[in-house]
């Protein structure tokens, strides 16, 4: 009985893998379809050398100043930990932890020359 069960499982796997292979007809149909559009470019990061605290100093992915983004620059973690500004539970600065501090608002500075909102 065990031998029969093993053979059934083995045959099922062969059928499963064989059915996963594309036939020449399927391959031609896939090539004929237009390619899916490329995804929109992701959030922007600050260029190197921008002034910390400026509008350009912004990590759009994590919505904090790029110069303070520990997720993009893990080398910053030690400084936050040394100043007792670290959320161990969420592994990011307490001053940026919106999970512990839901009222926390980190606002991107306006571009140079524009008034603050």
């Amino acid at each position: 009985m065990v031998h029969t069960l093993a053979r059934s499982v083995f045959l099922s796997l062969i059928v499963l893998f064989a059915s996963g292979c594309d036939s020449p007809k399927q391959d031609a149909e896939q090539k004929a379809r237009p390619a899916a559009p490329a995804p929109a470019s992701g959030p922007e990061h600050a260029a190197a050398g921008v002034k910390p605290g400026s509008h350009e100093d912004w990590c759009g992915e994590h919505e904090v100043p790029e110069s303070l983004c520990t997720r993009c620059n893990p080398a910053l973690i030690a400084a936050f930990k040394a100043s007792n500004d670290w959320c161990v539970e969420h592994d990011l600065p307490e001053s940026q932890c919106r999970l512990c501090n839901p009222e926390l608002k980190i606002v991107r500075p306006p571009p140079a020359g524009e008034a603050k909102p």
Side-chain angles (χ1 to χ4, degrees):
M1 174 143 173
V2 173
H3 180 64
T4 305
L5 179 61
R7 190 168 62 175
S8 294
V9 170
F10 179 72
L11 290 174
S12 296
L13 288 173
I14 290 174
V15 169
L16 178 67
F17 286 118
S19 66
C21 296
D22 289 337
S23 70
K25 181 180 177 184
Q26 287 173 330
D27 193 36
E29 288 172 358
Q30 286 176 347
K31 288 180 182 176
R33 277 188 249 148
S41 62
E44 294 182 21
H45 292 275
V50 299
K51 180 182 173 188
S54 67
H55 176 77
E56 292 77 22
D57 178 35
W58 193 252
C59 174
E61 184 176 357
H62 301 114
E63 298 179 345
V64 298
E66 186 83 31
S67 60
L68 300 174
C69 186
T70 57
R71 289 169 278 187
C72 291
N73 187 357
L76 299 171
I77 293 172
F80 280 100
K81 286 182 175 181
S83 65
N84 292 320
D85 183 8
W86 194 252
C87 175
V88 175
E89 183 179 356
H90 300 114
D91 204 29
L92 54 111
E94 187 69 41
S95 60
Q96 298 174 14
C97 186
R98 293 179 183 103
L99 295 169
C100 291
N101 307 298
E103 72 287 346
L104 180 64
K105 303 260 188 270
I106 302 173
V107 180
R108 183 178 189 177
E114 287 188 22
K116 292 183 179 183

Short mmCIF file of all heavy atoms in Angstrom, two decimals, residues 48-108:
data_model
loop_
_atom_site.label_atom_id
_atom_site.label_comp_id
_atom_site.label_asym_id
_atom_site.label_seq_id
_atom_site.Cartn_x
_atom_site.Cartn_y
_atom_site.Cartn_z
N ALA A 48 22.78 63.12 -3.26
CA ALA A 48 23.93 63.27 -2.36
C ALA A 48 24.29 64.75 -2.22
O ALA A 48 24.21 65.51 -3.18
CB ALA A 48 25.12 62.49 -2.92
N GLY A 49 24.66 65.13 -1.03
CA GLY A 49 25.15 66.49 -0.79
C GLY A 49 24.10 67.55 -0.56
O GLY A 49 24.43 68.73 -0.48
N VAL A 50 22.82 67.17 -0.42
CA VAL A 50 21.80 68.20 -0.16
C VAL A 50 21.94 68.68 1.29
O VAL A 50 22.46 67.98 2.15
CB VAL A 50 20.36 67.70 -0.43
CG1 VAL A 50 20.19 67.29 -1.87
CG2 VAL A 50 19.98 66.58 0.50
N LYS A 51 21.45 69.87 1.55
CA LYS A 51 21.53 70.45 2.89
C LYS A 51 20.56 69.72 3.82
O LYS A 51 19.35 69.67 3.55
CB LYS A 51 21.17 71.93 2.82
CG LYS A 51 21.21 72.63 4.15
CD LYS A 51 20.81 74.07 4.02
CE LYS A 51 20.68 74.71 5.39
NZ LYS A 51 20.12 76.05 5.31
N PRO A 52 21.07 69.14 4.92
CA PRO A 52 20.17 68.48 5.88
C PRO A 52 19.10 69.45 6.37
O PRO A 52 19.37 70.61 6.65
CB PRO A 52 21.10 68.06 7.02
CG PRO A 52 22.44 67.93 6.36
CD PRO A 52 22.46 69.02 5.31
N GLY A 53 17.88 68.98 6.43
CA GLY A 53 16.77 69.80 6.89
C GLY A 53 16.11 70.60 5.79
O GLY A 53 15.11 71.26 6.03
N SER A 54 16.65 70.53 4.58
CA SER A 54 16.05 71.27 3.46
C SER A 54 14.93 70.45 2.83
O SER A 54 14.74 69.27 3.13
CB SER A 54 17.12 71.58 2.41
OG SER A 54 17.56 70.37 1.79
N HIS A 55 14.20 71.09 1.93
CA HIS A 55 13.13 70.42 1.20
C HIS A 55 13.68 69.22 0.41
O HIS A 55 13.04 68.18 0.31
CB HIS A 55 12.45 71.41 0.25
CG HIS A 55 11.40 70.80 -0.62
ND1 HIS A 55 10.14 70.50 -0.15
CD2 HIS A 55 11.42 70.42 -1.93
CE1 HIS A 55 9.42 69.96 -1.13
NE2 HIS A 55 10.18 69.91 -2.21
N GLU A 56 14.88 69.39 -0.12
CA GLU A 56 15.48 68.35 -0.95
C GLU A 56 15.96 67.16 -0.11
O GLU A 56 16.15 66.07 -0.64
CB GLU A 56 16.67 68.92 -1.74
CG GLU A 56 16.27 69.91 -2.81
CD GLU A 56 15.91 71.30 -2.25
OE1 GLU A 56 16.34 71.65 -1.12
OE2 GLU A 56 15.17 72.03 -2.93
N ASP A 57 16.13 67.35 1.18
CA ASP A 57 16.58 66.30 2.09
C ASP A 57 15.37 65.49 2.56
O ASP A 57 14.90 65.63 3.69
CB ASP A 57 17.30 66.94 3.30
CG ASP A 57 17.76 65.91 4.32
OD1 ASP A 57 18.16 64.81 3.93
OD2 ASP A 57 17.73 66.23 5.53
N TRP A 58 14.85 64.65 1.67
CA TRP A 58 13.62 63.94 2.00
C TRP A 58 13.64 62.53 1.44
O TRP A 58 13.96 62.31 0.28
CB TRP A 58 12.41 64.69 1.47
CG TRP A 58 11.12 64.19 2.03
CD1 TRP A 58 10.16 63.47 1.38
CD2 TRP A 58 10.64 64.36 3.36
NE1 TRP A 58 9.13 63.18 2.23
CE2 TRP A 58 9.40 63.72 3.46
CE3 TRP A 58 11.16 64.99 4.49
CZ2 TRP A 58 8.65 63.69 4.64
CZ3 TRP A 58 10.42 64.96 5.66
CH2 TRP A 58 9.18 64.33 5.73
N CYS A 59 13.30 61.58 2.29
CA CYS A 59 13.13 60.19 1.87
C CYS A 59 11.64 59.98 1.65
O CYS A 59 10.87 59.84 2.61
CB CYS A 59 13.66 59.23 2.94
SG CYS A 59 13.31 57.50 2.55
N GLY A 60 11.23 60.00 0.40
CA GLY A 60 9.81 59.83 0.08
C GLY A 60 9.30 58.44 0.42
O GLY A 60 8.12 58.25 0.69
N GLU A 61 10.19 57.47 0.42
CA GLU A 61 9.77 56.10 0.73
C GLU A 61 9.37 55.95 2.19
O GLU A 61 8.40 55.28 2.52
CB GLU A 61 10.92 55.13 0.40
CG GLU A 61 10.56 53.68 0.60
CD GLU A 61 11.66 52.74 0.17
OE1 GLU A 61 12.70 53.18 -0.34
OE2 GLU A 61 11.47 51.53 0.36
N HIS A 62 10.13 56.59 3.10
CA HIS A 62 9.86 56.43 4.53
C HIS A 62 9.31 57.70 5.18
O HIS A 62 9.05 57.71 6.38
CB HIS A 62 11.15 55.97 5.23
CG HIS A 62 11.64 54.68 4.67
ND1 HIS A 62 12.83 54.56 3.99
CD2 HIS A 62 11.07 53.44 4.65
CE1 HIS A 62 12.99 53.30 3.60
NE2 HIS A 62 11.93 52.61 3.97
N GLU A 63 9.15 58.75 4.40
CA GLU A 63 8.54 60.01 4.83
C GLU A 63 9.22 60.63 6.04
O GLU A 63 8.57 61.03 7.01
CB GLU A 63 7.04 59.82 5.06
CG GLU A 63 6.32 59.40 3.79
CD GLU A 63 4.84 59.19 4.00
OE1 GLU A 63 4.38 59.08 5.14
OE2 GLU A 63 4.14 59.14 2.98
N VAL A 64 10.55 60.68 5.97
CA VAL A 64 11.38 61.35 6.97
C VAL A 64 12.53 62.04 6.23
O VAL A 64 12.79 61.72 5.07
CB VAL A 64 11.96 60.36 8.03
CG1 VAL A 64 10.85 59.69 8.82
CG2 VAL A 64 12.85 59.32 7.39
N PRO A 65 13.23 62.96 6.87
CA PRO A 65 14.39 63.53 6.21
C PRO A 65 15.38 62.42 5.83
O PRO A 65 15.64 61.51 6.64
CB PRO A 65 14.99 64.47 7.26
CG PRO A 65 13.81 64.84 8.11
CD PRO A 65 12.97 63.60 8.17
N GLU A 66 15.90 62.48 4.63
CA GLU A 66 16.86 61.46 4.18
C GLU A 66 18.07 61.41 5.09
O GLU A 66 18.60 60.34 5.37
CB GLU A 66 17.30 61.78 2.75
CG GLU A 66 18.18 60.72 2.13
CD GLU A 66 17.44 59.55 1.54
OE1 GLU A 66 16.30 59.74 1.08
OE2 GLU A 66 18.00 58.44 1.54
N SER A 67 18.50 62.57 5.58
CA SER A 67 19.68 62.63 6.45
C SER A 67 19.44 61.95 7.80
O SER A 67 20.39 61.72 8.54
CB SER A 67 20.10 64.08 6.67
OG SER A 67 19.04 64.81 7.27
N LEU A 68 18.19 61.62 8.12
CA LEU A 68 17.84 60.95 9.37
C LEU A 68 17.19 59.59 9.16
O LEU A 68 16.67 58.99 10.10
CB LEU A 68 16.90 61.84 10.20
CG LEU A 68 17.43 63.21 10.58
CD1 LEU A 68 16.34 64.02 11.28
CD2 LEU A 68 18.66 63.09 11.46
N CYS A 69 17.19 59.09 7.93
CA CYS A 69 16.49 57.84 7.61
C CYS A 69 17.38 56.63 7.91
O CYS A 69 18.31 56.33 7.16
CB CYS A 69 16.04 57.83 6.15
SG CYS A 69 15.03 56.38 5.78
N THR A 70 17.09 55.96 9.00
CA THR A 70 17.88 54.80 9.40
C THR A 70 17.58 53.58 8.54
O THR A 70 18.39 52.66 8.48
CB THR A 70 17.62 54.44 10.87
OG1 THR A 70 16.22 54.20 11.05
CG2 THR A 70 18.07 55.55 11.80
N ARG A 71 16.44 53.56 7.88
CA ARG A 71 16.12 52.41 7.02
C ARG A 71 16.90 52.48 5.71
O ARG A 71 17.24 51.46 5.14
CB ARG A 71 14.62 52.33 6.78
CG ARG A 71 13.90 51.90 8.08
CD ARG A 71 12.42 52.04 7.99
NE ARG A 71 12.10 53.45 8.28
CZ ARG A 71 10.89 53.91 8.42
NH1 ARG A 71 9.86 53.12 8.29
NH2 ARG A 71 10.68 55.18 8.69
N CYS A 72 17.22 53.69 5.26
CA CYS A 72 18.04 53.84 4.06
C CYS A 72 19.52 53.91 4.40
O CYS A 72 20.36 53.58 3.58
CB CYS A 72 17.62 55.10 3.30
SG CYS A 72 15.99 54.97 2.56
N ASN A 73 19.83 54.37 5.61
CA ASN A 73 21.22 54.51 6.03
C ASN A 73 21.39 53.93 7.43
O ASN A 73 21.37 54.66 8.43
CB ASN A 73 21.64 55.99 6.00
CG ASN A 73 23.12 56.17 6.26
OD1 ASN A 73 23.85 55.21 6.51
ND2 ASN A 73 23.56 57.41 6.21
N PRO A 74 21.56 52.60 7.53
CA PRO A 74 21.68 51.96 8.84
C PRO A 74 22.85 52.45 9.68
O PRO A 74 22.86 52.27 10.90
CB PRO A 74 21.86 50.48 8.50
CG PRO A 74 21.33 50.32 7.11
CD PRO A 74 21.55 51.63 6.43
N ALA A 75 23.83 53.12 9.08
CA ALA A 75 24.95 53.66 9.85
C ALA A 75 24.48 54.71 10.87
O ALA A 75 25.19 55.00 11.83
CB ALA A 75 25.99 54.26 8.91
N LEU A 76 23.29 55.28 10.67
CA LEU A 76 22.76 56.29 11.58
C LEU A 76 22.19 55.68 12.87
O LEU A 76 21.99 56.40 13.86
CB LEU A 76 21.65 57.09 10.89
CG LEU A 76 22.04 57.88 9.65
CD1 LEU A 76 20.79 58.43 8.97
CD2 LEU A 76 22.99 58.99 10.03
N ILE A 77 21.94 54.41 12.89
CA ILE A 77 21.28 53.76 14.02
C ILE A 77 22.04 53.97 15.32
O ILE A 77 21.45 54.30 16.35
CB ILE A 77 21.06 52.26 13.73
CG1 ILE A 77 20.05 52.09 12.60
CG2 ILE A 77 20.61 51.52 14.99
CD1 ILE A 77 19.89 50.66 12.10
N ALA A 78 23.35 53.82 15.29
CA ALA A 78 24.14 53.95 16.52
C ALA A 78 23.96 55.31 17.17
O ALA A 78 23.86 55.40 18.40
CB ALA A 78 25.62 53.69 16.21
N ALA A 79 23.90 56.36 16.38
CA ALA A 79 23.73 57.71 16.94
C ALA A 79 22.36 57.85 17.60
O ALA A 79 22.25 58.46 18.68
CB ALA A 79 23.90 58.76 15.85
N PHE A 80 21.33 57.31 16.98
CA PHE A 80 20.00 57.38 17.59
C PHE A 80 19.96 56.58 18.89
O PHE A 80 19.41 57.03 19.89
CB PHE A 80 18.93 56.89 16.62
CG PHE A 80 18.52 57.90 15.60
CD1 PHE A 80 19.02 57.86 14.31
CD2 PHE A 80 17.63 58.92 15.92
CE1 PHE A 80 18.65 58.79 13.36
CE2 PHE A 80 17.25 59.86 14.99
CZ PHE A 80 17.76 59.81 13.70
N LYS A 81 20.57 55.40 18.89
CA LYS A 81 20.60 54.59 20.10
C LYS A 81 21.40 55.28 21.20
O LYS A 81 21.00 55.27 22.37
CB LYS A 81 21.18 53.21 19.80
CG LYS A 81 20.22 52.33 19.03
CD LYS A 81 20.81 50.94 18.79
CE LYS A 81 19.81 50.03 18.12
NZ LYS A 81 20.36 48.67 17.90
N ALA A 82 22.52 55.91 20.84
CA ALA A 82 23.37 56.59 21.82
C ALA A 82 22.64 57.76 22.47
O ALA A 82 22.90 58.10 23.63
CB ALA A 82 24.65 57.08 21.16
N SER A 83 21.71 58.37 21.75
CA SER A 83 20.95 59.50 22.31
C SER A 83 19.62 59.05 22.91
O SER A 83 18.75 59.87 23.19
CB SER A 83 20.73 60.57 21.24
OG SER A 83 19.91 60.06 20.21
N ASN A 84 19.48 57.74 23.14
CA ASN A 84 18.26 57.15 23.72
C ASN A 84 17.01 57.49 22.90
O ASN A 84 15.92 57.65 23.46
CB ASN A 84 18.08 57.58 25.18
CG ASN A 84 19.14 56.98 26.06
OD1 ASN A 84 19.51 55.81 25.90
ND2 ASN A 84 19.67 57.77 26.98
N ASP A 85 17.17 57.58 21.60
CA ASP A 85 16.05 57.84 20.69
C ASP A 85 15.90 56.60 19.81
O ASP A 85 16.21 56.62 18.62
CB ASP A 85 16.33 59.08 19.85
CG ASP A 85 15.17 59.44 18.91
OD1 ASP A 85 14.10 58.82 19.02
OD2 ASP A 85 15.36 60.33 18.07
N TRP A 86 15.44 55.50 20.42
CA TRP A 86 15.32 54.27 19.66
C TRP A 86 14.12 53.46 20.14
O TRP A 86 13.95 53.23 21.34
CB TRP A 86 16.58 53.41 19.77
CG TRP A 86 16.59 52.34 18.74
CD1 TRP A 86 16.42 51.00 18.94
CD2 TRP A 86 16.77 52.51 17.34
NE1 TRP A 86 16.46 50.35 17.74
CE2 TRP A 86 16.68 51.24 16.74
CE3 TRP A 86 16.97 53.62 16.52
CZ2 TRP A 86 16.80 51.04 15.36
CZ3 TRP A 86 17.10 53.42 15.16
CH2 TRP A 86 17.02 52.16 14.60
N CYS A 87 13.29 53.03 19.21
CA CYS A 87 12.15 52.16 19.51
C CYS A 87 12.60 50.73 19.20
O CYS A 87 12.71 50.36 18.03
CB CYS A 87 10.95 52.54 18.66
SG CYS A 87 9.55 51.41 18.86
N VAL A 88 12.87 49.98 20.25
CA VAL A 88 13.35 48.61 20.08
C VAL A 88 12.27 47.75 19.42
O VAL A 88 12.56 46.92 18.55
CB VAL A 88 13.76 48.01 21.44
CG1 VAL A 88 14.15 46.55 21.31
CG2 VAL A 88 14.90 48.82 22.04
N GLU A 89 11.05 47.97 19.81
CA GLU A 89 9.94 47.15 19.29
C GLU A 89 9.78 47.27 17.78
O GLU A 89 9.52 46.29 17.10
CB GLU A 89 8.64 47.56 19.98
CG GLU A 89 7.44 46.72 19.56
CD GLU A 89 6.16 47.13 20.28
OE1 GLU A 89 6.19 48.01 21.15
OE2 GLU A 89 5.11 46.54 19.95
N HIS A 90 9.94 48.48 17.24
CA HIS A 90 9.71 48.70 15.80
C HIS A 90 11.00 48.95 15.02
O HIS A 90 10.97 49.18 13.81
CB HIS A 90 8.72 49.85 15.60
CG HIS A 90 7.41 49.53 16.25
ND1 HIS A 90 6.94 50.25 17.33
CD2 HIS A 90 6.50 48.56 16.01
CE1 HIS A 90 5.78 49.72 17.71
NE2 HIS A 90 5.49 48.70 16.94
N ASP A 91 12.14 48.93 15.70
CA ASP A 91 13.46 49.01 15.09
C ASP A 91 13.65 50.26 14.24
O ASP A 91 14.09 50.20 13.10
CB ASP A 91 13.73 47.74 14.26
CG ASP A 91 15.21 47.48 14.08
OD1 ASP A 91 15.99 47.87 14.97
OD2 ASP A 91 15.60 46.89 13.06
N LEU A 92 13.31 51.40 14.85
CA LEU A 92 13.55 52.70 14.22
C LEU A 92 13.55 53.77 15.30
O LEU A 92 13.19 53.50 16.44
CB LEU A 92 12.51 53.00 13.14
CG LEU A 92 11.04 52.92 13.51
CD1 LEU A 92 10.41 54.30 13.51
CD2 LEU A 92 10.36 52.08 12.46
N PRO A 93 14.01 54.98 14.97
CA PRO A 93 14.06 56.02 16.01
C PRO A 93 12.68 56.27 16.62
O PRO A 93 11.66 56.30 15.91
CB PRO A 93 14.55 57.25 15.26
CG PRO A 93 15.31 56.71 14.10
CD PRO A 93 14.56 55.46 13.71
N GLU A 94 12.65 56.41 17.94
CA GLU A 94 11.38 56.72 18.63
C GLU A 94 10.79 58.02 18.08
O GLU A 94 9.58 58.15 17.95
CB GLU A 94 11.63 56.84 20.14
CG GLU A 94 10.37 56.99 20.95
CD GLU A 94 9.50 55.74 20.99
OE1 GLU A 94 10.05 54.63 21.10
OE2 GLU A 94 8.26 55.90 20.91
N SER A 95 11.66 58.96 17.72
CA SER A 95 11.21 60.24 17.18
C SER A 95 10.59 60.11 15.79
O SER A 95 10.00 61.06 15.28
CB SER A 95 12.37 61.23 17.13
OG SER A 95 13.41 60.73 16.31
N GLN A 96 10.66 58.92 15.20
CA GLN A 96 10.05 58.66 13.89
C GLN A 96 9.02 57.53 13.95
O GLN A 96 8.44 57.18 12.92
CB GLN A 96 11.14 58.27 12.87
CG GLN A 96 12.15 59.35 12.62
CD GLN A 96 13.29 58.87 11.73
OE1 GLN A 96 13.21 57.83 11.09
NE2 GLN A 96 14.35 59.64 11.67
N CYS A 97 8.79 56.98 15.14
CA CYS A 97 7.91 55.81 15.26
C CYS A 97 6.44 56.24 15.35
O CYS A 97 5.94 56.62 16.41
CB CYS A 97 8.30 54.98 16.48
SG CYS A 97 7.35 53.44 16.55
N ARG A 98 5.76 56.15 14.24
CA ARG A 98 4.34 56.51 14.19
C ARG A 98 3.46 55.42 14.79
O ARG A 98 2.30 55.67 15.08
CB ARG A 98 3.94 56.80 12.75
CG ARG A 98 4.62 58.04 12.20
CD ARG A 98 4.21 58.29 10.74
NE ARG A 98 4.89 59.42 10.18
CZ ARG A 98 5.92 59.33 9.34
NH1 ARG A 98 6.36 58.17 8.96
NH2 ARG A 98 6.49 60.41 8.87
N LEU A 99 4.00 54.23 14.96
CA LEU A 99 3.22 53.16 15.59
C LEU A 99 3.09 53.41 17.09
O LEU A 99 2.02 53.22 17.66
CB LEU A 99 3.87 51.81 15.31
CG LEU A 99 3.88 51.40 13.84
CD1 LEU A 99 4.76 50.18 13.62
CD2 LEU A 99 2.48 51.13 13.36
N CYS A 100 4.17 53.85 17.72
CA CYS A 100 4.11 54.18 19.15
C CYS A 100 3.52 55.57 19.39
O CYS A 100 2.98 55.84 20.45
CB CYS A 100 5.51 54.12 19.76
SG CYS A 100 6.19 52.46 19.86
N ASN A 101 3.68 56.44 18.41
CA ASN A 101 3.24 57.83 18.52
C ASN A 101 2.34 58.18 17.33
O ASN A 101 2.76 58.90 16.43
CB ASN A 101 4.46 58.77 18.54
CG ASN A 101 5.46 58.37 19.59
OD1 ASN A 101 5.16 58.37 20.77
ND2 ASN A 101 6.66 57.99 19.18
N PRO A 102 1.11 57.69 17.31
CA PRO A 102 0.24 57.91 16.15
C PRO A 102 -0.04 59.38 15.84
O PRO A 102 -0.36 59.73 14.71
CB PRO A 102 -1.04 57.17 16.48
CG PRO A 102 -0.90 56.65 17.85
CD PRO A 102 0.47 56.89 18.33
N GLU A 103 0.12 60.25 16.83
CA GLU A 103 -0.12 61.68 16.61
C GLU A 103 1.09 62.37 15.97
O GLU A 103 1.01 63.53 15.56
CB GLU A 103 -0.46 62.38 17.93
CG GLU A 103 0.69 62.54 18.91
CD GLU A 103 1.17 61.25 19.62
OE1 GLU A 103 0.49 60.22 19.59
OE2 GLU A 103 2.26 61.30 20.19
N LEU A 104 2.20 61.65 15.85
CA LEU A 104 3.44 62.21 15.30
C LEU A 104 3.26 62.62 13.85
O LEU A 104 2.78 61.85 13.03
CB LEU A 104 4.56 61.18 15.41
CG LEU A 104 5.93 61.58 14.90
CD1 LEU A 104 6.49 62.74 15.72
CD2 LEU A 104 6.87 60.40 14.95
N LYS A 105 3.65 63.84 13.54
CA LYS A 105 3.59 64.36 12.17
C LYS A 105 5.00 64.79 11.79
O LYS A 105 5.58 65.67 12.42
CB LYS A 105 2.66 65.56 12.08
CG LYS A 105 1.24 65.28 12.55
CD LYS A 105 0.33 65.05 11.37
CE LYS A 105 -1.11 64.97 11.79
NZ LYS A 105 -1.59 63.68 12.12
N ILE A 106 5.55 64.16 10.80
CA ILE A 106 6.85 64.55 10.26
C ILE A 106 6.56 65.20 8.92
O ILE A 106 6.09 64.55 7.99
CB ILE A 106 7.80 63.34 10.12
CG1 ILE A 106 7.98 62.67 11.48
CG2 ILE A 106 9.14 63.78 9.53
CD1 ILE A 106 8.75 61.37 11.44
N VAL A 107 6.79 66.51 8.85
CA VAL A 107 6.40 67.29 7.68
C VAL A 107 7.64 67.68 6.88
O VAL A 107 8.62 68.16 7.44
CB VAL A 107 5.63 68.56 8.12
CG1 VAL A 107 5.22 69.39 6.92
CG2 VAL A 107 4.41 68.16 8.95
N ARG A 108 7.54 67.48 5.59
CA ARG A 108 8.63 67.89 4.71
C ARG A 108 8.68 69.41 4.64
O ARG A 108 7.65 70.07 4.43
CB ARG A 108 8.39 67.31 3.32
CG ARG A 108 9.51 67.62 2.36
CD ARG A 108 9.25 66.98 1.02
NE ARG A 108 10.43 67.11 0.16
CZ ARG A 108 10.50 66.59 -1.05
NH1 ARG A 108 9.49 65.89 -1.55
NH2 ARG A 108 11.59 66.76 -1.77
#
